[in-house]
Structure formats: C-alpha cells, structure tokens
Amino acid sequence: MAEGKGIEGLIRSALASLGSYSPHKSPDTLKGKVEVPAESIIKLDANENPYGCSPKVKQALASYPNFSVYPDAGQTELRQLLAGYTGIGAENIVAGSGSGDLIDLILRLFVGPGDEVINCPPTFDLYRFETGISNGTLVQVPRDKDFAVDVSAVGAAIGSKTKLIFLSNPNNPTGTLTPREDILKILDSGLAVVVDEAYYEFSGETVLPLFIQYQNLIVLRTFSKWAGLAGLRVGYGIFPPKIADWLLKIKLPYNVNVAALVAVRESLGDIDYLKGRIKAIIDERERLFKELQGLKFLRPLPSRANFILCEVADGEAKKLYQKLQDRGILVRCFDTPHLENFIRISVGKPEHTDALIRTLKQLGEE
Ligand SMILES: Cc1ncc(COP(=O)(O)O)c(C=O)c1O
C-alpha cells in the first residue's frame, strides 16, 4: 500500500491526472442560492426536452406491474423496437443507460493503456473523460475557427496506435454539422469511427445509410433529447454485428432498466406527438436565434441541434452565466482554451425564450 495514503493509495495511478467531468447543476442543489424558488428555475443548460416525455410513458409506468423482475439482459424486445425505429437489424443494436454508457463501453472494448483516441474539441467532453478512465491516450485535433473538423489534421494525427475517433454530429456544444464528404474521408482511414447523433432528430441528418458500406462505422443515438427521457437513461448504438456481440458480452447484465424499456415502447408508439414537439423546438430555436442576434453583446451561432452556442462578444461569459443563474436561468458556460468566453443555451418553450431575452436585455443595460 502506498505510504500514508491508506486505501486511496490503491487507486490506479493513471487516474491522478484525469481532470473532472462537469455535469450540469441539478436545480435542487440551488435551493436558497438563487433569487427564485427551485420550481421556477428555467433550465436551459443540459439540452433537455422542455416538453418532457410522451404522456403515454407516464401512464404506462404508473400501471407497470413488474418492477420486481430484472430486465432481459439480451435486450431482445428493446433491440427489436429500435430496429423498427432505425430500419437497421436488431443484431446491430445495443442499448445502454443513456448513450454515455455506450461511450464508456466502446472505450472499454477498443482502448487499453497506450492506445490513442482522436478527439476534435470543442466537443462533448465525455469523450475526453472516458478515454482517460480507460487509460487511453487522447489525441486532440482542434476544430478550425468555424468549428469545422480539420480533416487533414485528423489524417495526420492517425498513427499505429490510433483506435478510435469520436465525432459528435451535430456537434455539442457548437451545433454544427460535419459534411458527409468529410465523414467519408475519415471513415476511409479504417479506424473505428463513432458518429454520435444524440441530436439527430433535430438535425434530420444521419450517416446511417453509410452503415452497410462501412464496417468501421458506429452510430450513437439517445432518447434523452428528442423523446424527453434524460432522467430515465436510455440510449443505443448501431454497430457491426460482431462488435454488438462483444458489447453485449462486456456490458453490465442489466444496464437498461425495465422503466426505460417501457418508456421506449410508449415513445415509439406515440411518435407523431413527439415529432410535433421536435418541430416546436426547431421553430423555437430559430426564433431564439433571431432574438439573440438582436443583442449587441452576444454572437449566436446557427445551430442544427436543440441548443445555441453564443460568443460573449462584450463582457465575461462566466459573469453573465452567474448573473443569469442568480435570476433563476441556467445556461452552460464555456471558458476553455478551445472555447473561450462562450455560453450555450438550450432551446426551451416560447415563455422560456421570452424570460431569457427579457433578462439578457436587463443585464445588457446594467
Ligand atoms: C453529443 C452527446 N452525446 C451523448 C450525450 C449523452 O446523452 P445520454 O447519456 O443522456 O444519452 C450527450 C448529452 O448531452 C451529448 O451531447
């Protein structure tokens, strides 16, 4: 045992240099710290669905009789449902406790000490964090000034130890899409290419049609955003069948709970309702964008997802974020070398946009 450190000295030394992953704040933890009651907080910080889930999910869960029985470890019904939704065979599909679970599993499957993972920041921070946990080496290939993936730099970064590349498409937090021809060039490298389509239902763009042709393509999706099920935790990935078999083998046996299965079944049975909500969010995104453009101190970026990234052109993003939080409006703040002085605003209901813009205007006048 390492001298003087007790049980902590037994922790893997590679984790010592791992920075933290900062999840969003739960409104419950802000009770008494903001100027409004916790239930009036407007949560625009985690790209959740402001309309919640389908009412059918709530009804079905209220009368579900079998919470005492473990789920099917092979995910048979769930994979069939997802096959119906995606048009891809069930043998290609594995579900997880959110798509974050699948990011973790993919890294456990492919990456060990010394293996390299290419990441294109600014992007979803879980790719960096989970690579660190799996003892992989992160190779950062920053995006260009317009947040496009630098495809030739990605090519130059590939070496004998490179296993995986992560591409969030649309990218969180920039909301930008990577053109199909760039994704094709990256797929031609033969690496395992993970295209994370967490926001697909908002962008309408998918690489799934490439799946037949490319045996190295992995596509991730989630029910957290479009279906309003972030709290129930269910996502899935589409893999070559042999990789899907491996993931089913190494995952925790019951990684998706029965409530999540019921929720997927009901959501897919109420797809027209959910599509109506998606349309409302996309319409609201465009209105929010125009409103933000009207503010002198912010520079919003056009987005294909359910959030808008804004450069704080006059002032400090951290201060703006804090002032909004004090007034009960939660957004995400970014101030890293790859994204200096930005805030990301999730698209809410029209009344959330109204309250946000009103508050931003007041702050702009202070
Ligand atoms: C790009 C991207 N991928 C994956 C996730 C994880 O989603 P979940 O684990 O809720 O399915 C998120 C969540 O914000 C995301 O932005």
Side-chain angles (χ1 to χ4, degrees):
M1 199 182 280
E3 272 305 291
K5 278 196 150 181
I7 193 170
E8 217 187 329
L10 300 175
I11 292 174
R12 285 191 285 143
S13 54
L15 295 185
S17 59
L18 183 73
S20 54
Y21 176 75
S22 41
H24 71 283
K25 284 197 182 98
S26 164
D28 295 343
T29 64
L30 291 171
K31 255 183 214 149
K33 294 186 190 153
V34 295
E35 292 161 13
V36 300
E39 54 283 7
S40 308
I41 287 175
I42 298 177
K43 207 171 166 315
L44 305 176
D45 62 339
N47 307 336
E48 291 144 332
N49 193 318
Y51 296 100
C53 62
S54 153
K56 291 195 173 166
V57 170
K58 290 185 193 160
Q59 283 159 18
L61 286 178
S63 59
Y64 183 75
N66 272 336
F67 286 128
S68 57
V69 177
Y70 284 109
D72 165 23
Q75 307 176 339
T76 316
E77 182 190 348
L78 185 52
R79 292 166 76 210
Q80 279 298 343
L81 287 166
L82 296 169
Y85 179 60
T86 58
I88 300 280
E91 69 280 9
N92 298 99
I93 299 175
V94 180
S97 170
S99 51
D101 186 23
L102 291 159
I103 293 168
D104 180 70
L105 280 171
I106 290 166
L107 283 159
R108 281 167 195 250
L109 186 65
F110 288 105
V111 175
D115 290 334
E116 292 180 358
V117 175
I118 294 182
N119 190 41
C120 301
T123 191
F124 186 44
D125 196 41
L126 205 60
Y127 311 142
R128 170 197 67 80
F129 184 70
E130 289 289 336
T131 300
I133 291 200
S134 62
N135 274 10
T137 302
L138 192 75
V139 178
Q140 298 276 52
V141 180
R143 288 165 184 257
D144 70 14
K145 63 173 186 11
D146 299 319
F147 302 122
V149 172
D150 186 341
V151 180
S152 54
V154 168
I158 296 173
S160 59
K161 292 182 178 163
T162 317
K163 291 276 187 81
L164 266 176
I165 173 162
F166 279 104
L167 277 183
S168 167
N169 204 41
N171 186 40
N172 177 10
T174 58
T176 45
L177 275 170
T178 300
R180 175 71 68 90
E181 60 270 25
D182 287 353
I183 296 179
L184 286 172
K185 281 184 204 150
I186 293 170
L187 278 166
D188 284 334
S189 69
L191 297 180
V193 180
V194 181
V195 180
D196 183 344
E197 295 186 347
Y199 302 95
Y200 155 66
E201 282 79 0
F202 300 103
S203 75
E205 298 272 339
T206 178
V207 292
L208 264 194
L210 301 175
F211 187 70
I212 307 295
Q213 199 185 337
Y214 286 90
Q215 292 304 303
N216 54 330
L217 173 62
I218 292 171
V219 179
L220 296 183
R221 300 265 187 89
T222 180
F223 278 68
S224 293
K225 317 293 178 180
W226 70 279
L229 294 177
L232 272 182
R233 314 300 304 124
V234 58
Y236 59 99
I238 294 158
F239 308 89
K242 286 203 171 117
I243 300 300
D245 286 348
W246 266 104
L247 291 168
L248 288 170
K249 191 169 162 181
I250 69 166
K251 74 177 178 59
L252 282 174
Y254 311 117
N255 64 332
V256 182
N257 65 63
V258 290
L261 167 61
V262 171
V264 167
R265 194 193 290 144
E266 295 301 322
S267 300
L268 295 179
D270 202 13
I271 202 90
D272 289 340
Y273 170 88
L274 290 171
K275 278 188 180 164
R277 296 312 202 191
I278 293 168
K279 178 161 184 329
I281 293 168
I282 294 171
D283 290 348
E284 192 56 23
R285 176 184 74 200
E286 298 314 306
R287 185 174 84 94
L288 173 62
F289 182 74
K290 287 201 186 89
E291 293 283 357
L292 291 168
Q293 269 186 321
L295 300 171
K296 280 202 201 89
F297 58 102
L298 290 182
R299 252 184 238 134
L301 257 91
S303 166
R304 295 293 299 272
N306 66 340
F307 52 81
I308 294 178
L309 185 71
C310 300
E311 184 176 5
V312 181
D314 184 12
E316 282 177 44
K318 271 188 194 147
K319 283 190 184 153
L320 181 61
Y321 153 84
Q322 189 58 50
K323 283 181 184 169
L324 284 170
Q325 179 175 303
D326 294 345
R327 287 158 180 80
I329 300 178
L330 309 186
V331 299
R332 189 87 189 218
C333 175
F334 294 93
D335 206 9
T336 64
H338 298 296
L339 202 57
E340 271 175 45
N341 219 32
F342 282 79
I343 59 168
R344 188 197 65 198
I345 304 167
S346 306
V347 180
K349 292 180 180 174
E351 58 264 37
H352 300 148
T353 303
D354 293 343
L356 170 80
I357 297 296
R358 206 169 39 241
T359 309
L360 283 171
K361 280 183 179 159
Q362 283 163 6
L363 291 174
E365 281 161 14
E366 270 178 14

